[in-house]
């Protein structure tokens, strides 16, 4: 996909002076990092868009000082339910009163 971003000529010239022909890649990386930082993009999606493996992407993001926000309580509870279901412990936990 190709789309245009309208920026002032002065900014465009400055970006071109700094990044040259890599300006497209830098723009992609910047948008992916911001979406990831805001929690709007998963690590897997970010890695795919950047052409990296998940671990490589996590290392790369960390090196840039970008960290995904911590999960919400709902996300933690959903993930815990998935783990319990995979382990087959959901019913026994409910009977024991460990799960609401």
């Amino acid at each position: 996909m190709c789309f245009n971003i309208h920026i002032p000529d002065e900014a465009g010239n400055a970006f071109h002076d700094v990044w040259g022909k890599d300006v497209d890649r830098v723009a992609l990386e910047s948008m992916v990092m911001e979406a990831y930082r805001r929690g709007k993009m998963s690590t897997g999606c970010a890695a795919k868009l950047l052409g990296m493996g998940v671990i490589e992407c996590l290392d790369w993001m960390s090196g840039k000082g970008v960290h995904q926000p911590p999960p919400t309580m709902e996300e933690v509870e959903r993930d815990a339910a998935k783990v319990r279901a995979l382990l087959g412990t959901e019913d026994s936990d409910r009977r024991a009163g460990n799960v609401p």
Side-chain angles (χ1 to χ4, degrees), residues 12-78:
N13 291 333
F15 293 153
H16 188 269
D17 289 346
V18 172
W19 291 295
K21 63 183 174 78
D22 294 330
V23 72
D24 289 345
R25 176 66 186 188
V26 172
L28 172 65
E29 290 173 354
S30 297
M31 287 188 278
V32 169
M33 280 191 290
E34 185 60 20
Y36 180 80
R37 185 188 65 76
R38 290 180 182 208
K40 302 294 184 184
M41 182 177 290
S42 70
T43 307
C45 183
K48 183 177 180 179
L49 290 173
L50 295 172
M52 302 177 182
V54 171
I55 300 300
E56 180 184 8
C57 183
L58 287 170
D59 289 344
W60 184 82
M61 291 278 192
S62 180
K64 303 284 187 187
V66 177
H67 306 282
Q68 194 172 31
T72 64
M73 184 53 86
E74 292 81 19
E75 291 170 325
V76 170
E77 290 171 351
R78 184 183 64 235

